[in-house]
Amino acid sequence: GAGVSQSPSNKVTEKGKDVELRCDPISGHTALYWYRQSLGQGLEFLIYFQGNSAPDKSGLPSDRFSAERTGGSVSTLTIQRTQQEDSAVYLCASSVGTGGFSGANVLTFGAGSRLTVL
Amino acid sequence: AQRVTQPEKLLSVFKGAPVELKCNYSYSGSPELFWYVQYSRQRLQLLLRHISRESIKGFTADLNKGETSFHLKKPFAQEEDSAMYYCALGGYQKVTFGTGTKLQVIP
C-alpha cells in the first residue's frame, strides 16, 4: 500500500482481556517497529523486526506483550491480560531496512491504534 | 550502544523568537540523524535528515560530530510549529529515538 496501515484505530477493552493490534507495513519494507505512546509522553520502543533476523524484543515491558511478523510483512502485537496501564497509542513504523545506505533508516509511521483498558 | 538525548521535555517560546531544540547522540560509527515531528492529531512524520542538508518549514539542523549534536533551529517561531519533536539516530542497528521535546509557541 501507499502507507503504513494499522488496525483497529480504536480499541476499548476490559481489564484482563487479550487484544491484538495489526500493522501492515509499506510493501518491500524489511524493517518494522512497534512503539507505545502514553498520554503526554514520548515514544517507548517495544520491538523491532529486520528481515529474517531474530526480532529485538528488548523494549517489551512484560511477558504479557508479544509480537510476530508473518512472511516478512504483516505484524501483530498481542497484549495478554490487559491492564489499565497498557492504555496508550500503539504506533507501528516501517523502513526499507538498515545497513547505512541513504534512505534505509527513514521511518514511515502508521496512524496508530488507541487502546483503552477499562 | 547508540543513544539519543533530548534534555528538554518542554520548550516554550514566544512567536517570532528563535527556537533551538537540543539533541545529542552517542554512536561509534558514522551516524545518520533525523528530526521527526508530530503535530496534534497527526501522524509522526519525518521533518528533516542531516544528509539532505535542507531547510524544511524554516527549520535547519547541522550535524556537529565534534560535539555529537544535531540541534534543530528556526530563527522565528510560528504558532503552527507547536508540536512534539523527536531526534532519531540510524546506523547499522535499529533506529533509536530520543524522548522528545514538546515545543509550545506562545502567541
Side-chain angles (χ1 to χ4, degrees):
Chain A
V4 177
S5 297
Q6 291 188 245
S7 61
S9 55
N10 273 289
K11 176 73 176 178
V12 180
T13 190
E14 293 178 348
K15 178 181 171 183
K17 301 274 186 164
D18 297 352
V19 297
E20 284 190 351
L21 307 176
R22 177 188 167 106
C23 173
D24 274 281
I26 291 174
S27 178
H29 279 194
T30 64
L32 187 148
Y33 299 75
W34 283 98
Y35 296 91
R36 180 166 71 175
Q37 197 172 36
S38 302
L39 187 62
Q41 302 298 311
L43 284 177
E44 178 186 1
F45 166 74
L46 296 177
I47 190 168
Y48 161 64
F49 296 89
Q50 171 53 50
N52 295 321
S53 302
D56 179 344
K57 305 178 183 180
S58 60
L60 294 178
S62 76
D63 59 8
R64 295 187 295 106
F65 288 73
S66 63
E68 62 177 20
R69 189 177 185 192
T70 52
S73 180
V74 172
S75 178
T76 302
L77 177 69
T78 301
I79 309 172
Q80 296 179 308
R81 305 180 302 282
T82 53
Q83 304 294 313
Q84 288 183 331
E85 60 263 28
D86 299 335
S87 296
V89 176
Y90 289 81
L91 295 176
C92 176
S94 69
S95 74
V96 172
T98 57
F101 57 92
S102 179
N105 290 318
V106 175
L107 298 189
T108 301
F109 282 84
S113 291
R114 181 177 297 277
L115 175 65
T116 303
V117 182
L118 301 176
Chain B
Q2 56 189 62
R3 188 165 61 242
V4 177
T5 302
Q6 293 182 252
E8 304 137 329
K9 282 193 81 169
L10 172 66
L11 181 65
S12 296
V13 301
F14 285 100
K15 178 181 172 181
V19 174
E20 183 178 52
L21 299 169
K22 290 185 167 49
C23 172
N24 287 88
Y25 68 90
S26 173
Y27 187 66
S28 57
S30 289
E32 189 174 9
L33 276 299
F34 309 85
W35 278 98
Y36 285 80
V37 61
Q38 189 172 31
Y39 301 103
S40 180
R41 293 185 172 80
Q42 293 189 28
R43 298 188 186 204
L44 196 56
Q45 59 187 285
L46 179 69
L47 179 62
L48 54 79
R49 305 161 58 190
H50 91 270
I51 201 167
S52 301
R53 302 185 66 82
E54 55 193 344
S55 173
I56 304 292
K57 299 185 178 184
F59 284 98
T60 59
D62 291 317
L63 178 60
N64 185 322
K65 291 187 178 180
E67 296 182 358
T68 60
S69 69
F70 188 58
H71 303 327
L72 184 68
K73 300 177 183 179
K74 184 170 182 176
F76 308 103
Q78 302 299 314
E79 288 181 64
E80 56 265 29
D81 296 329
S82 294
M84 192 75 172
Y85 291 80
Y86 294 94
C87 183
L89 166 68
Y92 286 91
Q93 303 172 46
K94 67 178 185 285
V95 174
T96 299
F97 281 82
T99 50
T101 298
K102 182 174 182 178
L103 175 64
Q104 184 179 63
V105 180
I106 304 164

